[in-house]
Amino acid sequence: MNMTSASKKTVYGDYLQLGKLLECQEPYSGSEQKPAHDEMLFIIVHQVYELWFKQIIHDLDSVLDLMAPNPMSEKGLCTVVARLNRIKEIIKLLIAKLDVLETMKPMDFLDFRHFLGTMSGFQSHQFRLLEIKLGLSSCDRVTPSKCPYAKDFTSIQQEKLNATETATSLFSKVQEWLERTPFLENGSFSFKLVYKEAVDSMLKHEKKRIESLTGLTEKEKKMQDLRLNDLSENYGKLANPEIYDQLLREGKRCLSYKSTLAAVFIESYSNEPILHMPHQFLHAALEVDRLLSLWRFRHALMVQKMIGTKGGTGGSLGYAYLIKTVEEYQIFSDFHDLSTLLIPRFLLPDLGSDVKRDLGFFYKTT
Ligand code: HEM
């Protein structure tokens, strides 16, 4: 604080502009009759959400800025993790806050729902910005013909959405960062090759185990074969780059081959000192996405409780639309099923002394 601001008389209400803030709750139901009691709660809950969206965007913007340099500094990575963790905590709050709104009964909501006209959370500009900054692109959206997602925004708001869509999202930043992971190819060490060898020997081992099983019925044998096929198909995705690229082309994966390989490497060897922070970073990004899906799910259930299967005021199918977005709007869906590609610790390839040395922190004593 500089001398001028320190000597300025600071008053709580002025600093927080409470005069303005507390004047902004005007129930529509009150303009014609006695206001519906719960409309005040409805307004305040939405306003508080918008304030938290503002904070999330503020933190997310700083994360994207910190990730802009190539390569990003380690110090920068610590701050990125701290800010993503804060966003996580805020979204947890947003989920819990729906409990407060649910103290309003569906009949209480019906007392003022008709005053809302075509207004809807669908028109939350900040929520759209936030989704886009995380990495949701307009072609991934569930847009029932009746309600293109940006239909109700002003031209200035639409311009901002378009500009945000062309800017770099958290998803692309994470992908770029993963692609730069060192250690995957290190001297004579190639993680791609040792991973493939480990997968091949794991599948051989599993096949032998199945063949050695005695006393199985035909049905049980078939089940075991199916399981082996599943295993081979799942691990084959990463063990064979051509298969992976085909899945990418078909839209069944979204992260590039290189970044997925790096994510598996970081997850598999997260005990190595140098990988602690990258591991925390990946998990923080993943958790933000997972918690946002949880909010979508929780919001959809609340909507079902409040309005059943009626359509939304914004023109969508209501619950049916919202529940679809839970899975389809996951940004890091490839990370969510990363475990499918992990090899058990006892089968993990040895990294060799050179790579192990590079992954550790060492003091030179001489
Ligand atoms: C009684 C409470 C609520 C009801 C009945 C409700 C209902 C709905 C419905 C039906 C939709 C789908 C769009 C439409 O056709 O209108 C929607 C979307 C949305 N609502 Fe709510 N909502 C409620 C509370 C909230 C709250 C507290 C927030 C917090 C800001 C919120 C934020 C959103 C957002 C961001 C969307 C867009 C979701 C998307 O398109 O992915 N809603 N809401």
PDB file of all heavy atoms in Angstrom, residues 95-127:
ATOM      1  N   ILE A  95     -20.890 -26.148  -6.161  1.00  0.00           N
ATOM      2  CA  ILE A  95     -21.715 -27.366  -6.104  1.00  0.00           C
ATOM      3  C   ILE A  95     -22.523 -27.351  -4.801  1.00  0.00           C
ATOM      4  O   ILE A  95     -23.735 -27.567  -4.791  1.00  0.00           O
ATOM      5  CB  ILE A  95     -20.826 -28.634  -6.185  1.00  0.00           C
ATOM      6  CG1 ILE A  95     -20.125 -28.696  -7.544  1.00  0.00           C
ATOM      7  CG2 ILE A  95     -21.649 -29.892  -5.941  1.00  0.00           C
ATOM      8  CD1 ILE A  95     -19.018 -29.734  -7.642  1.00  0.00           C
ATOM      9  N   ALA A  96     -21.832 -27.040  -3.694  1.00  0.00           N
ATOM     10  CA  ALA A  96     -22.495 -27.081  -2.383  1.00  0.00           C
ATOM     11  C   ALA A  96     -23.609 -26.030  -2.301  1.00  0.00           C
ATOM     12  O   ALA A  96     -24.621 -26.243  -1.630  1.00  0.00           O
ATOM     13  CB  ALA A  96     -21.460 -26.852  -1.288  1.00  0.00           C
ATOM     14  N   LYS A  97     -23.402 -24.920  -3.019  1.00  0.00           N
ATOM     15  CA  LYS A  97     -24.359 -23.816  -2.916  1.00  0.00           C
ATOM     16  C   LYS A  97     -25.734 -24.181  -3.493  1.00  0.00           C
ATOM     17  O   LYS A  97     -26.741 -23.554  -3.163  1.00  0.00           O
ATOM     18  CB  LYS A  97     -23.798 -22.601  -3.661  1.00  0.00           C
ATOM     19  CG  LYS A  97     -23.993 -21.345  -2.900  1.00  0.00           C
ATOM     20  CD  LYS A  97     -22.919 -20.307  -3.094  1.00  0.00           C
ATOM     21  CE  LYS A  97     -22.506 -20.052  -4.506  1.00  0.00           C
ATOM     22  NZ  LYS A  97     -23.412 -19.165  -5.244  1.00  0.00           N
ATOM     23  N   LEU A  98     -25.784 -25.213  -4.338  1.00  0.00           N
ATOM     24  CA  LEU A  98     -27.084 -25.603  -4.884  1.00  0.00           C
ATOM     25  C   LEU A  98     -27.997 -26.116  -3.768  1.00  0.00           C
ATOM     26  O   LEU A  98     -29.213 -26.032  -3.871  1.00  0.00           O
ATOM     27  CB  LEU A  98     -26.909 -26.652  -5.986  1.00  0.00           C
ATOM     28  CG  LEU A  98     -26.268 -26.105  -7.274  1.00  0.00           C
ATOM     29  CD1 LEU A  98     -25.995 -27.214  -8.270  1.00  0.00           C
ATOM     30  CD2 LEU A  98     -27.165 -25.040  -7.923  1.00  0.00           C
ATOM     31  N   ASP A  99     -27.386 -26.618  -2.680  1.00  0.00           N
ATOM     32  CA  ASP A  99     -28.202 -27.058  -1.529  1.00  0.00           C
ATOM     33  C   ASP A  99     -29.028 -25.894  -0.993  1.00  0.00           C
ATOM     34  O   ASP A  99     -30.160 -26.068  -0.572  1.00  0.00           O
ATOM     35  CB  ASP A  99     -27.317 -27.577  -0.384  1.00  0.00           C
ATOM     36  CG  ASP A  99     -26.680 -28.909  -0.724  1.00  0.00           C
ATOM     37  OD1 ASP A  99     -27.191 -29.587  -1.636  1.00  0.00           O
ATOM     38  OD2 ASP A  99     -25.665 -29.262  -0.080  1.00  0.00           O
ATOM     39  N   VAL A 100     -28.409 -24.712  -0.971  1.00  0.00           N
ATOM     40  CA  VAL A 100     -29.128 -23.543  -0.441  1.00  0.00           C
ATOM     41  C   VAL A 100     -30.314 -23.234  -1.347  1.00  0.00           C
ATOM     42  O   VAL A 100     -31.439 -23.014  -0.875  1.00  0.00           O
ATOM     43  CB  VAL A 100     -28.192 -22.309  -0.348  1.00  0.00           C
ATOM     44  CG1 VAL A 100     -28.935 -21.120   0.217  1.00  0.00           C
ATOM     45  CG2 VAL A 100     -26.957 -22.620   0.490  1.00  0.00           C
ATOM     46  N   LEU A 101     -30.069 -23.269  -2.670  1.00  0.00           N
ATOM     47  CA  LEU A 101     -31.158 -22.947  -3.598  1.00  0.00           C
ATOM     48  C   LEU A 101     -32.285 -23.978  -3.476  1.00  0.00           C
ATOM     49  O   LEU A 101     -33.463 -23.658  -3.632  1.00  0.00           O
ATOM     50  CB  LEU A 101     -30.611 -22.892  -5.030  1.00  0.00           C
ATOM     51  CG  LEU A 101     -31.553 -22.292  -6.064  1.00  0.00           C
ATOM     52  CD1 LEU A 101     -32.004 -20.898  -5.663  1.00  0.00           C
ATOM     53  CD2 LEU A 101     -30.906 -22.238  -7.433  1.00  0.00           C
ATOM     54  N   GLU A 102     -31.895 -25.206  -3.173  1.00  0.00           N
ATOM     55  CA  GLU A 102     -32.907 -26.266  -3.084  1.00  0.00           C
ATOM     56  C   GLU A 102     -33.778 -26.178  -1.819  1.00  0.00           C
ATOM     57  O   GLU A 102     -34.703 -26.965  -1.672  1.00  0.00           O
ATOM     58  CB  GLU A 102     -32.240 -27.641  -3.179  1.00  0.00           C
ATOM     59  CG  GLU A 102     -32.036 -28.032  -4.620  1.00  0.00           C
ATOM     60  CD  GLU A 102     -31.525 -29.445  -4.791  1.00  0.00           C
ATOM     61  OE1 GLU A 102     -31.034 -30.033  -3.803  1.00  0.00           O
ATOM     62  OE2 GLU A 102     -31.614 -29.954  -5.902  1.00  0.00           O
ATOM     63  N   THR A 103     -33.471 -25.231  -0.951  1.00  0.00           N
ATOM     64  CA  THR A 103     -34.408 -25.024   0.164  1.00  0.00           C
ATOM     65  C   THR A 103     -35.682 -24.356  -0.378  1.00  0.00           C
ATOM     66  O   THR A 103     -36.687 -24.261   0.307  1.00  0.00           O
ATOM     67  CB  THR A 103     -33.785 -24.133   1.273  1.00  0.00           C
ATOM     68  OG1 THR A 103     -33.422 -22.879   0.693  1.00  0.00           O
ATOM     69  CG2 THR A 103     -32.566 -24.798   1.899  1.00  0.00           C
ATOM     70  N   MET A 104     -35.603 -23.899  -1.641  1.00  0.00           N
ATOM     71  CA  MET A 104     -36.795 -23.370  -2.320  1.00  0.00           C
ATOM     72  C   MET A 104     -37.546 -24.576  -2.918  1.00  0.00           C
ATOM     73  O   MET A 104     -36.956 -25.368  -3.651  1.00  0.00           O
ATOM     74  CB  MET A 104     -36.333 -22.413  -3.435  1.00  0.00           C
ATOM     75  CG  MET A 104     -37.414 -21.952  -4.346  1.00  0.00           C
ATOM     76  SD  MET A 104     -36.772 -20.759  -5.553  1.00  0.00           S
ATOM     77  CE  MET A 104     -36.080 -21.841  -6.807  1.00  0.00           C
ATOM     78  N   LYS A 105     -38.816 -24.692  -2.622  1.00  0.00           N
ATOM     79  CA  LYS A 105     -39.572 -25.846  -3.141  1.00  0.00           C
ATOM     80  C   LYS A 105     -40.060 -25.530  -4.564  1.00  0.00           C
ATOM     81  O   LYS A 105     -40.230 -24.353  -4.915  1.00  0.00           O
ATOM     82  CB  LYS A 105     -40.769 -26.124  -2.229  1.00  0.00           C
ATOM     83  CG  LYS A 105     -40.328 -26.549  -0.806  1.00  0.00           C
ATOM     84  CD  LYS A 105     -41.459 -27.163  -0.016  1.00  0.00           C
ATOM     85  CE  LYS A 105     -42.439 -26.163   0.555  1.00  0.00           C
ATOM     86  NZ  LYS A 105     -41.908 -25.281   1.591  1.00  0.00           N
ATOM     87  N   PRO A 106     -40.302 -26.592  -5.378  1.00  0.00           N
ATOM     88  CA  PRO A 106     -40.795 -26.352  -6.743  1.00  0.00           C
ATOM     89  C   PRO A 106     -42.018 -25.423  -6.756  1.00  0.00           C
ATOM     90  O   PRO A 106     -42.146 -24.574  -7.631  1.00  0.00           O
ATOM     91  CB  PRO A 106     -41.151 -27.756  -7.243  1.00  0.00           C
ATOM     92  CG  PRO A 106     -40.283 -28.669  -6.448  1.00  0.00           C
ATOM     93  CD  PRO A 106     -40.072 -28.037  -5.116  1.00  0.00           C
ATOM     94  N   MET A 107     -42.900 -25.551  -5.763  1.00  0.00           N
ATOM     95  CA  MET A 107     -44.084 -24.680  -5.731  1.00  0.00           C
ATOM     96  C   MET A 107     -43.687 -23.223  -5.481  1.00  0.00           C
ATOM     97  O   MET A 107     -44.315 -22.299  -5.993  1.00  0.00           O
ATOM     98  CB  MET A 107     -45.059 -25.143  -4.628  1.00  0.00           C
ATOM     99  CG  MET A 107     -45.799 -26.411  -4.945  1.00  0.00           C
ATOM    100  SD  MET A 107     -46.819 -26.263  -6.434  1.00  0.00           S
ATOM    101  CE  MET A 107     -48.209 -25.327  -5.814  1.00  0.00           C
ATOM    102  N   ASP A 108     -42.627 -23.023  -4.660  1.00  0.00           N
ATOM    103  CA  ASP A 108     -42.153 -21.654  -4.411  1.00  0.00           C
ATOM    104  C   ASP A 108     -41.601 -21.058  -5.707  1.00  0.00           C
ATOM    105  O   ASP A 108     -41.771 -19.874  -5.984  1.00  0.00           O
ATOM    106  CB  ASP A 108     -41.030 -21.641  -3.353  1.00  0.00           C
ATOM    107  CG  ASP A 108     -41.486 -22.244  -2.023  1.00  0.00           C
ATOM    108  OD1 ASP A 108     -42.668 -22.089  -1.694  1.00  0.00           O
ATOM    109  OD2 ASP A 108     -40.648 -22.877  -1.331  1.00  0.00           O
ATOM    110  N   PHE A 109     -40.915 -21.909  -6.486  1.00  0.00           N
ATOM    111  CA  PHE A 109     -40.331 -21.449  -7.751  1.00  0.00           C
ATOM    112  C   PHE A 109     -41.443 -21.039  -8.731  1.00  0.00           C
ATOM    113  O   PHE A 109     -41.353 -20.038  -9.428  1.00  0.00           O
ATOM    114  CB  PHE A 109     -39.444 -22.565  -8.325  1.00  0.00           C
ATOM    115  CG  PHE A 109     -38.694 -22.185  -9.564  1.00  0.00           C
ATOM    116  CD1 PHE A 109     -38.093 -20.940  -9.693  1.00  0.00           C
ATOM    117  CD2 PHE A 109     -38.581 -23.079 -10.631  1.00  0.00           C
ATOM    118  CE1 PHE A 109     -37.401 -20.580 -10.856  1.00  0.00           C
ATOM    119  CE2 PHE A 109     -37.883 -22.737 -11.784  1.00  0.00           C
ATOM    120  CZ  PHE A 109     -37.297 -21.485 -11.893  1.00  0.00           C
ATOM    121  N   LEU A 110     -42.525 -21.861  -8.706  1.00  0.00           N
ATOM    122  CA  LEU A 110     -43.634 -21.565  -9.623  1.00  0.00           C
ATOM    123  C   LEU A 110     -44.297 -20.218  -9.305  1.00  0.00           C
ATOM    124  O   LEU A 110     -44.940 -19.620 -10.160  1.00  0.00           O
ATOM    125  CB  LEU A 110     -44.683 -22.688  -9.561  1.00  0.00           C
ATOM    126  CG  LEU A 110     -44.320 -23.967 -10.322  1.00  0.00           C
ATOM    127  CD1 LEU A 110     -45.423 -25.013 -10.183  1.00  0.00           C
ATOM    128  CD2 LEU A 110     -44.058 -23.675 -11.804  1.00  0.00           C
ATOM    129  N   ASP A 111     -44.106 -19.736  -8.078  1.00  0.00           N
ATOM    130  CA  ASP A 111     -44.680 -18.430  -7.714  1.00  0.00           C
ATOM    131  C   ASP A 111     -44.102 -17.300  -8.575  1.00  0.00           C
ATOM    132  O   ASP A 111     -44.732 -16.266  -8.748  1.00  0.00           O
ATOM    133  CB  ASP A 111     -44.365 -18.086  -6.233  1.00  0.00           C
ATOM    134  CG  ASP A 111     -45.220 -18.886  -5.269  1.00  0.00           C
ATOM    135  OD1 ASP A 111     -46.233 -19.467  -5.724  1.00  0.00           O
ATOM    136  OD2 ASP A 111     -44.876 -18.948  -4.073  1.00  0.00           O
ATOM    137  N   PHE A 112     -42.878 -17.497  -9.070  1.00  0.00           N
ATOM    138  CA  PHE A 112     -42.296 -16.394  -9.868  1.00  0.00           C
ATOM    139  C   PHE A 112     -41.679 -16.832 -11.198  1.00  0.00           C
ATOM    140  O   PHE A 112     -41.229 -16.003 -11.972  1.00  0.00           O
ATOM    141  CB  PHE A 112     -41.249 -15.610  -9.039  1.00  0.00           C
ATOM    142  CG  PHE A 112     -40.041 -16.423  -8.641  1.00  0.00           C
ATOM    143  CD1 PHE A 112     -38.918 -16.469  -9.454  1.00  0.00           C
ATOM    144  CD2 PHE A 112     -40.030 -17.132  -7.451  1.00  0.00           C
ATOM    145  CE1 PHE A 112     -37.797 -17.209  -9.096  1.00  0.00           C
ATOM    146  CE2 PHE A 112     -38.912 -17.884  -7.078  1.00  0.00           C
ATOM    147  CZ  PHE A 112     -37.805 -17.924  -7.888  1.00  0.00           C
ATOM    148  N   ARG A 113     -41.681 -18.132 -11.503  1.00  0.00           N
ATOM    149  CA  ARG A 113     -41.002 -18.586 -12.734  1.00  0.00           C
ATOM    150  C   ARG A 113     -41.529 -17.852 -13.975  1.00  0.00           C
ATOM    151  O   ARG A 113     -40.762 -17.496 -14.869  1.00  0.00           O
ATOM    152  CB  ARG A 113     -41.171 -20.100 -12.898  1.00  0.00           C
ATOM    153  CG  ARG A 113     -40.306 -20.618 -14.048  1.00  0.00           C
ATOM    154  CD  ARG A 113     -40.363 -22.102 -14.274  1.00  0.00           C
ATOM    155  NE  ARG A 113     -39.363 -22.478 -15.279  1.00  0.00           N
ATOM    156  CZ  ARG A 113     -39.586 -23.277 -16.306  1.00  0.00           C
ATOM    157  NH1 ARG A 113     -40.755 -23.843 -16.449  1.00  0.00           N
ATOM    158  NH2 ARG A 113     -38.632 -23.523 -17.176  1.00  0.00           N
ATOM    159  N   HIS A 114     -42.868 -17.592 -14.002  1.00  0.00           N
ATOM    160  CA  HIS A 114     -43.438 -16.959 -15.202  1.00  0.00           C
ATOM    161  C   HIS A 114     -42.914 -15.533 -15.414  1.00  0.00           C
ATOM    162  O   HIS A 114     -42.976 -14.993 -16.508  1.00  0.00           O
ATOM    163  CB  HIS A 114     -44.970 -16.974 -15.147  1.00  0.00           C
ATOM    164  CG  HIS A 114     -45.537 -16.370 -13.902  1.00  0.00           C
ATOM    165  ND1 HIS A 114     -45.407 -16.960 -12.663  1.00  0.00           N
ATOM    166  CD2 HIS A 114     -46.214 -15.215 -13.697  1.00  0.00           C
ATOM    167  CE1 HIS A 114     -45.998 -16.203 -11.743  1.00  0.00           C
ATOM    168  NE2 HIS A 114     -46.501 -15.129 -12.342  1.00  0.00           N
ATOM    169  N   PHE A 115     -42.364 -14.927 -14.352  1.00  0.00           N
ATOM    170  CA  PHE A 115     -41.814 -13.570 -14.517  1.00  0.00           C
ATOM    171  C   PHE A 115     -40.463 -13.603 -15.242  1.00  0.00           C
ATOM    172  O   PHE A 115     -39.970 -12.579 -15.686  1.00  0.00           O
ATOM    173  CB  PHE A 115     -41.595 -12.898 -13.152  1.00  0.00           C
ATOM    174  CG  PHE A 115     -42.884 -12.452 -12.503  1.00  0.00           C
ATOM    175  CD1 PHE A 115     -43.441 -13.187 -11.475  1.00  0.00           C
ATOM    176  CD2 PHE A 115     -43.526 -11.296 -12.925  1.00  0.00           C
ATOM    177  CE1 PHE A 115     -44.619 -12.783 -10.879  1.00  0.00           C
ATOM    178  CE2 PHE A 115     -44.713 -10.889 -12.327  1.00  0.00           C
ATOM    179  CZ  PHE A 115     -45.272 -11.632 -11.307  1.00  0.00           C
ATOM    180  N   LEU A 116     -39.867 -14.788 -15.322  1.00  0.00           N
ATOM    181  CA  LEU A 116     -38.512 -14.859 -15.887  1.00  0.00           C
ATOM    182  C   LEU A 116     -38.507 -14.779 -17.416  1.00  0.00           C
ATOM    183  O   LEU A 116     -37.459 -14.531 -18.021  1.00  0.00           O
ATOM    184  CB  LEU A 116     -37.811 -16.153 -15.441  1.00  0.00           C
ATOM    185  CG  LEU A 116     -37.690 -16.353 -13.921  1.00  0.00           C
ATOM    186  CD1 LEU A 116     -36.990 -17.670 -13.610  1.00  0.00           C
ATOM    187  CD2 LEU A 116     -36.924 -15.203 -13.277  1.00  0.00           C
ATOM    188  N   GLY A 117     -39.659 -14.994 -18.045  1.00  0.00           N
ATOM    189  CA  GLY A 117     -39.730 -14.915 -19.509  1.00  0.00           C
ATOM    190  C   GLY A 117     -38.754 -15.885 -20.157  1.00  0.00           C
ATOM    191  O   GLY A 117     -38.714 -17.068 -19.803  1.00  0.00           O
ATOM    192  N   THR A 118     -37.916 -15.371 -21.056  1.00  0.00           N
ATOM    193  CA  THR A 118     -36.962 -16.262 -21.740  1.00  0.00           C
ATOM    194  C   THR A 118     -35.570 -16.179 -21.106  1.00  0.00           C
ATOM    195  O   THR A 118     -34.584 -16.637 -21.670  1.00  0.00           O
ATOM    196  CB  THR A 118     -36.841 -15.892 -23.236  1.00  0.00           C
ATOM    197  OG1 THR A 118     -36.504 -14.501 -23.309  1.00  0.00           O
ATOM    198  CG2 THR A 118     -38.118 -16.157 -23.984  1.00  0.00           C
ATOM    199  N   MET A 119     -35.529 -15.593 -19.916  1.00  0.00           N
ATOM    200  CA  MET A 119     -34.228 -15.495 -19.218  1.00  0.00           C
ATOM    201  C   MET A 119     -33.740 -16.883 -18.798  1.00  0.00           C
ATOM    202  O   MET A 119     -34.569 -17.722 -18.434  1.00  0.00           O
ATOM    203  CB  MET A 119     -34.433 -14.694 -17.931  1.00  0.00           C
ATOM    204  CG  MET A 119     -33.866 -13.338 -17.956  1.00  0.00           C
ATOM    205  SD  MET A 119     -33.984 -12.652 -16.324  1.00  0.00           S
ATOM    206  CE  MET A 119     -35.686 -12.615 -15.969  1.00  0.00           C
ATOM    207  N   SER A 120     -32.429 -17.079 -18.804  1.00  0.00           N
ATOM    208  CA  SER A 120     -31.917 -18.410 -18.461  1.00  0.00           C
ATOM    209  C   SER A 120     -30.421 -18.359 -18.177  1.00  0.00           C
ATOM    210  O   SER A 120     -29.725 -17.478 -18.701  1.00  0.00           O
ATOM    211  CB  SER A 120     -32.158 -19.327 -19.668  1.00  0.00           C
ATOM    212  OG  SER A 120     -31.344 -20.457 -19.607  1.00  0.00           O
ATOM    213  N   GLY A 121     -29.949 -19.312 -17.378  1.00  0.00           N
ATOM    214  CA  GLY A 121     -28.509 -19.449 -17.130  1.00  0.00           C
ATOM    215  C   GLY A 121     -27.774 -19.695 -18.445  1.00  0.00           C
ATOM    216  O   GLY A 121     -26.558 -19.506 -18.548  1.00  0.00           O
ATOM    217  N   PHE A 122     -28.540 -20.114 -19.434  1.00  0.00           N
ATOM    218  CA  PHE A 122     -28.039 -20.284 -20.785  1.00  0.00           C
ATOM    219  C   PHE A 122     -27.356 -19.006 -21.283  1.00  0.00           C
ATOM    220  O   PHE A 122     -26.506 -19.035 -22.144  1.00  0.00           O
ATOM    221  CB  PHE A 122     -29.266 -20.558 -21.651  1.00  0.00           C
ATOM    222  CG  PHE A 122     -29.034 -21.540 -22.746  1.00  0.00           C
ATOM    223  CD1 PHE A 122     -28.438 -22.749 -22.482  1.00  0.00           C
ATOM    224  CD2 PHE A 122     -29.436 -21.262 -24.043  1.00  0.00           C
ATOM    225  CE1 PHE A 122     -28.230 -23.667 -23.489  1.00  0.00           C
ATOM    226  CE2 PHE A 122     -29.223 -22.159 -25.051  1.00  0.00           C
ATOM    227  CZ  PHE A 122     -28.623 -23.367 -24.781  1.00  0.00           C
ATOM    228  N   GLN A 123     -27.809 -17.872 -20.727  1.00  0.00           N
ATOM    229  CA  GLN A 123     -27.289 -16.581 -21.200  1.00  0.00           C
ATOM    230  C   GLN A 123     -26.169 -16.045 -20.315  1.00  0.00           C
ATOM    231  O   GLN A 123     -25.848 -14.865 -20.382  1.00  0.00           O
ATOM    232  CB  GLN A 123     -28.435 -15.554 -21.235  1.00  0.00           C
ATOM    233  CG  GLN A 123     -29.546 -15.945 -22.188  1.00  0.00           C
ATOM    234  CD  GLN A 123     -30.908 -15.394 -21.779  1.00  0.00           C
ATOM    235  OE1 GLN A 123     -31.049 -14.806 -20.719  1.00  0.00           O
ATOM    236  NE2 GLN A 123     -31.904 -15.620 -22.626  1.00  0.00           N
ATOM    237  N   SER A 124     -25.585 -16.906 -19.479  1.00  0.00           N
ATOM    238  CA  SER A 124     -24.468 -16.435 -18.644  1.00  0.00           C
ATOM    239  C   SER A 124     -23.202 -16.310 -19.518  1.00  0.00           C
ATOM    240  O   SER A 124     -22.587 -17.315 -19.895  1.00  0.00           O
ATOM    241  CB  SER A 124     -24.210 -17.403 -17.489  1.00  0.00           C
ATOM    242  OG  SER A 124     -22.973 -17.080 -16.884  1.00  0.00           O
ATOM    243  N   HIS A 125     -22.850 -15.092 -19.812  1.00  0.00           N
ATOM    244  CA  HIS A 125     -21.702 -14.834 -20.689  1.00  0.00           C
ATOM    245  C   HIS A 125     -20.419 -15.325 -20.035  1.00  0.00           C
ATOM    246  O   HIS A 125     -19.556 -15.941 -20.671  1.00  0.00           O
ATOM    247  CB  HIS A 125     -21.632 -13.320 -20.977  1.00  0.00           C
ATOM    248  CG  HIS A 125     -20.615 -12.945 -21.991  1.00  0.00           C
ATOM    249  ND1 HIS A 125     -19.521 -12.171 -21.698  1.00  0.00           N
ATOM    250  CD2 HIS A 125     -20.519 -13.258 -23.309  1.00  0.00           C
ATOM    251  CE1 HIS A 125     -18.805 -12.014 -22.799  1.00  0.00           C
ATOM    252  NE2 HIS A 125     -19.377 -12.656 -23.783  1.00  0.00           N
ATOM    253  N   GLN A 126     -20.315 -15.076 -18.723  1.00  0.00           N
ATOM    254  CA  GLN A 126     -19.086 -15.485 -18.019  1.00  0.00           C
ATOM    255  C   GLN A 126     -18.931 -17.001 -18.023  1.00  0.00           C
ATOM    256  O   GLN A 126     -17.824 -17.520 -18.139  1.00  0.00           O
ATOM    257  CB  GLN A 126     -19.127 -14.994 -16.586  1.00  0.00           C
ATOM    258  CG  GLN A 126     -19.025 -13.494 -16.421  1.00  0.00           C
ATOM    259  CD  GLN A 126     -18.533 -13.163 -15.020  1.00  0.00           C
ATOM    260  OE1 GLN A 126     -17.373 -12.867 -14.825  1.00  0.00           O
ATOM    261  NE2 GLN A 126     -19.417 -13.259 -14.050  1.00  0.00           N
ATOM    262  N   PHE A 127     -20.058 -17.722 -17.894  1.00  0.00           N
ATOM    263  CA  PHE A 127     -19.965 -19.185 -17.888  1.00  0.00           C
ATOM    264  C   PHE A 127     -19.459 -19.673 -19.252  1.00  0.00           C
ATOM    265  O   PHE A 127     -18.631 -20.576 -19.328  1.00  0.00           O
ATOM    266  CB  PHE A 127     -21.334 -19.800 -17.568  1.00  0.00           C
ATOM    267  CG  PHE A 127     -21.268 -21.281 -17.320  1.00  0.00           C
ATOM    268  CD1 PHE A 127     -20.735 -21.772 -16.143  1.00  0.00           C
ATOM    269  CD2 PHE A 127     -21.735 -22.192 -18.264  1.00  0.00           C
ATOM    270  CE1 PHE A 127     -20.660 -23.152 -15.908  1.00  0.00           C
ATOM    271  CE2 PHE A 127     -21.663 -23.563 -18.036  1.00  0.00           C
ATOM    272  CZ  PHE A 127     -21.124 -24.039 -16.849  1.00  0.00           C
TER     273      PHE A 127
END
